[in-house]
Amino acid sequence: MRANHSAIGASRGRSISALFACAAAALIVPASPLHADEAQPLRLCADPTNLPFSSDSPSQPGFYVEIGQALAQALGRPIAYDWYKSYFGKRTVRVTLLGKQCDAMIGLPRSEDFMGPAVIFSSTFAKEGYALVAAKESAKGQAPGGIDGLKGKRVAVQFASTPQNLLASRDDIQKVTVLSPEEGMQALDQGRADVAFIWGPVAGWLNKTTYNGRYQIELTEGEGLSWDAAIGFAKTSTELRDRVDAVLPQLQSTIGALAVKYGLPTGAPVRFGAAPAGTTMGTGTGAAVAQVANVVATETKGDAAAPGPEAVGAGKEIFNGTCAHCHGPDAIQSERKIDLRLLRHRYGDEMREKFWTTVHEGRPTKGMPAWKEVYTDDQFDSIYSFLLTVQSESND
């Protein structure tokens, strides 16, 4: 998801060769049909404009769509598509996969924390995340020690991303803020940055299609930087999930070839340590209770009664599925002007009114969409309940 991811993150690019398709087909041994309904199409949820992952263009289907095509062939079924923009994060999953508009969604993070138990997952088929990008002649040893390897360098980081928050407290690293992976690659190309710390799959796709492969790309791993990609199914689809898991091993060479075709970074990742103390938030029931206690202690005029853990948890899930794309996972954000932890500090008694007006009507001139047609007032209340738990006087 844009996630996250686009905390589900949040960033894109746009040919399938007939010869490659034939070669890939030759690698697949169709599974023996077990049920009469297997002649029905395997319905795949996909974003129509999200290369290198997916596209509704037959000439450039994308990494996930081609995996879906290979998977359908291995299962002995035709394939069909439910095209839906992935901008709305977890809501996309609810509308399409959980709304029974499709059978599978490729590329979800394989984690119980991601919409479990409503969503179940296949085995991991790839690892995806942020990457370090630098010119090949200077990339050797770029960041052997993790974050300390970036000392003294100009590093392009995407606005409101995990890398930006990770580097926010490092005065010995010069940050070059960009709004997209495309701008990060441009900063490298124009000599405004020495390294780009950006979304890896898009960086790889651009390196392959726009920059003639002149950059070296290294995956990173660490909290919020990478995750295992899997295929998601509704919880009622355990039989289909198990059949997919049974055929995935025979598709590994095909998936590897597709990763190369679409420029996705491969190789051993660069390890980054945990985020600085105070920049992460606990999860689980204990954390939710502590957050509620914080609300009680800091409640001001105009706030509703202290929310319970259920409301806080629901609001946090919606926030991280949609709002974190710009405002940071768990509302952790280094850019003060969009740091929602400072809402009370800015607006005081008018905090709730400002929140309500903004989420309903948006701020189009500043890139904030209106959400009144997307979420209910009860859901907005849950988001607000979560935001109450993270307020502080300053994030300096």
Side-chain angles (χ1 to χ4, degrees):
M1 287 329 318
R2 217 173 274 280
N4 289 69
H5 119 307
S6 224
I8 318 56
S11 309
R12 310 177 173 265
R14 296 270 174 255
S15 147
I16 179 172
S17 159
L19 180 60
F20 180 85
C22 292
L27 295 174
I28 301 167
V29 180
S32 300
L34 297 181
H35 302 286
D37 64 358
E38 289 183 354
Q40 295 298 314
L42 175 67
R43 301 174 302 160
L44 185 70
C45 312
D47 189 317
T49 56
N50 190 23
L51 285 172
F53 293 126
S54 61
S55 165
D56 59 3
S57 169
S59 62
Q60 286 187 317
F63 182 54
Y64 292 164
V65 173
E66 291 209 48
I67 290 175
Q69 293 169 350
L71 183 61
Q73 184 174 357
L75 294 172
R77 297 172 64 171
I79 191 166
Y81 308 99
D82 180 58
W83 301 112
Y84 193 97
K85 296 287 287 183
S86 57
Y87 180 79
F88 295 119
K90 290 183 179 179
R91 181 173 183 270
T92 299
V93 181
R94 293 189 183 97
V95 170
T96 58
L97 186 65
L98 301 185
K100 300 181 179 181
Q101 296 184 23
C102 52
D103 305 312
M105 180 175 284
I106 299 177
L108 296 183
R110 189 172 183 264
S111 170
E112 288 293 328
D113 293 335
F114 185 85
M115 303 186 72
V119 176
I120 58 176
F121 304 95
S122 72
S123 301
T124 299
F125 68 82
K127 182 174 284 291
E128 296 170 2
Y130 291 95
L132 297 169
V133 188
K136 285 184 175 178
E137 59 270 20
S138 64
K140 187 175 181 180
Q142 190 65 58
I147 194 170
D148 288 336
L150 299 175
K151 283 182 180 179
K153 299 186 184 297
R154 299 169 301 162
V155 182
V157 288
Q158 189 175 340
F159 180 66
S161 68
T162 301
Q164 185 187 47
N165 291 329
L166 184 66
L167 302 185
S169 63
R170 296 295 296 254
D171 293 333
D172 54 352
I173 299 173
Q174 182 180 339
K175 278 75 72 179
V176 179
T177 302
V178 297
L179 296 179
S180 66
E182 290 83 354
E183 286 191 20
M185 296 297 286
Q186 289 171 7
L188 281 177
D189 193 54
Q190 296 166 2
R192 295 186 288 112
D194 305 309
V195 184
F197 194 175
I198 55 179
W199 183 235
V202 175
W205 173 247
L206 292 172
N207 188 43
K208 185 178 183 70
T209 59
T210 304
Y211 297 99
N212 299 313
R214 63 175 174 266
Y215 293 104
Q216 176 170 309
I217 302 177
E218 295 180 285
L219 279 171
T220 64
E221 66 178 6
E223 185 177 356
L225 291 174
S226 64
W227 55 85
D228 294 335
I231 303 169
F233 309 86
K235 65 179 179 181
T236 55
S237 300
T238 54
E239 183 179 357
L240 177 59
R241 189 272 311 275
D242 292 345
R243 294 214 67 210
V244 166
D245 272 345
V247 300
L248 270 178
Q250 73 186 67
L251 298 180
Q252 287 308 301
S253 61
T254 298
I255 292 172
L258 288 171
V260 172
K261 176 182 177 179
Y262 286 98
L264 272 65
T266 58
V270 177
R271 177 71 189 177
F272 280 72
T279 62
T280 59
M281 181 178 297
T283 59
T285 304
V289 171
Q291 291 165 358
V292 172
N294 180 57
V295 173
V296 174
T298 61
E299 189 176 6
T300 63
K301 180 182 175 183
D303 289 341
E310 184 175 342
V312 171
K316 182 177 179 180
E317 180 182 355
I318 297 171
F319 184 93
N320 283 335
T322 301
C323 313
H325 176 70
C326 289
H327 295 287
D330 293 348
I332 297 169
Q333 174 54 253
S334 61
E335 294 284 334
R336 288 182 62 87
K337 63 183 179 180
I338 60 169
D339 188 347
L340 300 186
R341 295 171 295 177
L342 300 178
L343 287 176
R344 192 195 304 280
H345 175 70
R346 292 194 187 101
Y347 302 117
D349 292 350
E350 297 180 354
M351 173 182 166
R352 181 176 176 81
E353 179 183 349
K354 291 290 186 181
F355 166 82
W356 207 254
T357 300
T358 302
V359 296
H360 273 75
E361 306 302 328
R363 290 180 176 174
T365 60
K366 297 184 178 181
M368 168 75 176
W371 295 99
K372 60 185 177 182
E373 302 299 330
V374 178
Y375 292 113
T376 66
D377 286 352
D378 286 344
Q379 289 173 314
F380 285 136
D381 276 334
S382 294
I383 297 171
Y384 185 75
S385 296
F386 163 65
L387 289 176
L388 286 176
T389 69
V390 299
Q391 294 306 298
S392 65
E393 285 304 305
S394 173
N395 68 342
D396 291 339

